[in-house]
Amino acid sequence: MNTRDEIAALASISAGQPVAAPPVEWRVEAAPVAYETALAVMEARAAAIAAGEADELIWLLEHPPLYTAGTSARPEHLLEPRFPVFSAGRGGQFTYAVLDLKRRGSDVRRFVADLEEWLIRTLAAFNIRGERREDRVGVWVRRPDKGVDCEDKIAAIGVRVKRWVSLHGVSLNVDPDLSHFAGIVPCGVGQPRFGVTSFLDLGHVVSMPEVDMALQRAFGEVFGRVAREA
């Protein structure tokens, strides 16, 4: 699993001054999107943002079942290749926040913390207490029902920064088949006291539109403006 320092090292140029940003485009997909298709769209959009030719993008989507291998992935973390495996030039996992960090202070560590805060506030809207950990990127939920010091990850963060534009983003577990995680060591965290959870696993039955709306509200609170819907 990538640390904050490792994620920050993926930035490729020196810091600049924050500049004013237009509204972020907010896009929601109703059906799963193939990973290869999403990757091509994301890369093209990031290049256009870096060139000043497009607005930033928050893209909420799901993929068909697959595994992604980030920059810190190890072969032994793939326990059972149940689904296609894609290499990704980023740390951690997915979902797409294509944002211009030059407009946000060019501070990668702060950006990762802001992504965590976005997820924590989204979870709080459903009375789920998500927490960050300094030694583990992502958002965690305490699970005393599973034992002393047990915690489950409910949201992952995996970003790459190219020309100060972020690629990939966050992954929030609403109601996935958690058995799929048995085929890998999720985010390289293999200690028995750490697991993976979801809204449904925690007893929260919610719809995707409800989660999407909560994500949009929390995004405006954390990043300073309300995204406009595409």
Side-chain angles (χ1 to χ4, degrees), residues 47-82:
I49 292 170
E53 298 170 352
D55 291 342
E56 297 172 295
L57 171 67
I58 295 295
W59 191 10
L60 305 185
L61 74 166
E62 295 180 82
H63 295 308
L66 57 90
Y67 296 133
T68 59
T71 55
S72 61
R74 299 178 182 177
E76 62 268 25
H77 290 166
L78 181 61
L79 305 177
E80 181 183 344
R82 303 180 182 185

Side-chain angles (χ1 to χ4, degrees), residues 3 36 49 77 92 101 125-126 129 143 150 194 214-215:
T3 65
E36 304 97 319
I49 292 170
H77 290 166
L101 271 65
F126 300 94
R129 182 179 179 182
R143 298 301 301 268
C150 286
F194 299 139
L215 280 164

Side-chain angles (χ1 to χ4, degrees), residues 133-169:
R133 296 289 178 262
E134 287 304 315
D135 60 336
R136 287 174 268 131
V137 175
V139 178
W140 298 79
V141 177
R142 300 187 189 195
R143 298 301 301 268
D145 54 310
K146 291 187 173 182
V148 178
D149 295 330
C150 286
E151 298 182 343
D152 284 347
K153 187 178 234 184
I154 193 168
I157 294 177
V159 293
R160 177 187 176 195
V161 179
K162 184 177 181 181
R163 296 175 64 190
W164 284 111
V165 176
S166 66
L167 297 97
H168 303 278

Side-chain angles (χ1 to χ4, degrees), residues 126-128 141 143 145 154 173-175 178 197-206:
F126 300 94
N127 296 315
I128 298 173
V141 177
R143 298 301 301 268
D145 54 310
I154 193 168
N173 297 332
V174 179
D175 61 353
L178 294 179
T197 191
S198 67
F199 280 71
L200 186 60
D201 183 52
L202 294 172
H204 295 262
V205 180
V206 299

Side-chain angles (χ1 to χ4, degrees), residues 99-118:
L99 301 175
D100 188 345
L101 271 65
K102 295 191 300 296
R103 300 171 179 172
R104 304 170 188 283
S106 301
D107 186 333
V108 178
R109 291 177 184 82
R110 177 181 173 183
F111 178 62
V112 172
D114 285 345
L115 290 175
E116 289 172 335
E117 182 65 21
W118 175 28

